[in-house]
Amino acid sequence: AQTVTQSQPEMSVQEAETVTLSCTYDTSESNYYLFWYKQPPSRQMILVIRQEAYKQQNATENRFSVNFQKAAKSFSLKISDSQLGDTAMYFCAFISGTYKYIFGTGTRLKVLA
Amino acid sequence: KAGVTQTPRYLIKTRGQQVTLSCSPISGHRSVSWYQQTPGQGLQFLFEYFSETQRNKGNFPGRFSGRQFSNSRSEMNVSTLELGDSALYLCASSLEQGNRYGYTFGSGTRLTVV
């Protein structure tokens, strides 16, 4: 069975610092896609970043970047220069040929002023 | 362009009643997926509709059903409500089935069953 694991239920970081959120997954498929979504208190989930498994280059979107280790089945999210607006739940997600998204349980990130 | 619109935002129902939730996807998006989010179970996939056909289904009882109209709007229905159905129901739209490019989510409907 395919699974996504986020082992850090809660994290905090000082404003302007860097934080890394962990995600591991398990699959026997070779072609798949990985995502990080952010859910602020407003409840609306927002796509932060996306990674295609066949691409070795790590995805980057402004202050957000990933460390994708395919062999280790690891997909961590790094947030640089953390801002108060980054306070949210962060979900790691996976989709493959079955077309069913699998979400992790989430990491609650709090950015401290 | 308008985002994904879910109505209503909040709903309180009594056990045993039924409820219908609505989702209007982004214009041009043909796929609509529904998720149930609870503190204990996280995000669980309910079903996906594409071009008015259910393409994928999660592991929920038959009390949970949905449909999609020709304009891509989707409704989700839950019959014989149970206390455990209290949750945030999220709708997500995408251009294609089994979206590889990521979803656009609505703000959800918070359902409370009393």
Side-chain angles (χ1 to χ4, degrees), chain A residues 33 35 37 39 42-47 50 52 89 91 95-96 98-105, chain B residues 9-10 35 37 43 45 48 56-57 88 90 97-103 105-110:
Chain A
Y33 302 84
F35 307 83
Y37 285 89
Q39 187 178 36
S42 66
R43 305 182 337 198
Q44 185 169 14
M45 291 188 64
I46 303 162
L47 176 63
R50 169 184 177 268
E52 300 171 16
M89 280 287 287
F91 292 93
I95 188 170
S96 67
T98 60
Y99 292 161
K100 287 185 184 179
Y101 265 69
I102 300 170
F103 283 86
T105 52
Chain B
R9 286 213 66 183
Y10 299 91
Y35 287 86
Q37 186 178 20
L43 276 148
F45 173 74
E48 178 186 17
N56 244 320
K57 190 176 187 304
L88 179 65
L90 292 169
Q97 179 191 349
N99 180 41
R100 299 166 294 168
Y101 299 99
Y103 285 128
F105 281 87
S107 295
T109 294
R110 171 79 66 190

Side-chain angles (χ1 to χ4, degrees), chain B residues 5 15 36 45 48 50 53 59 62 69 71 86 93 95 98 100 104 107 111:
Chain B
T5 303
R15 195 170 40 180
Q36 181 194 67
F45 173 74
E48 178 186 17
F50 182 79
T53 302
N59 298 322
F69 302 96
N71 62 358
S86 294
S93 82
L95 272 170
R100 299 166 294 168
T104 301
S107 295
L111 172 64

Side-chain angles (χ1 to χ4, degrees), chain B residues 37-57:
Chain B
Q37 186 178 20
T38 59
Q41 299 294 321
L43 276 148
Q44 293 195 289
F45 173 74
L46 281 154
F47 26 66
E48 178 186 17
Y49 285 86
F50 182 79
S51 293
E52 301 179 64
T53 302
Q54 187 181 90
R55 302 294 178 135
N56 244 320
K57 190 176 187 304

Side-chain angles (χ1 to χ4, degrees), chain B residues 12-31:
Chain B
I12 300 175
K13 288 287 189 178
T14 303
R15 195 170 40 180
Q17 287 186 313
Q18 75 164 22
V19 67
T20 299
L21 312 182
S22 178
C23 172
S24 293
I26 286 178
S27 177
H29 283 196
R30 295 165 61 193
S31 172

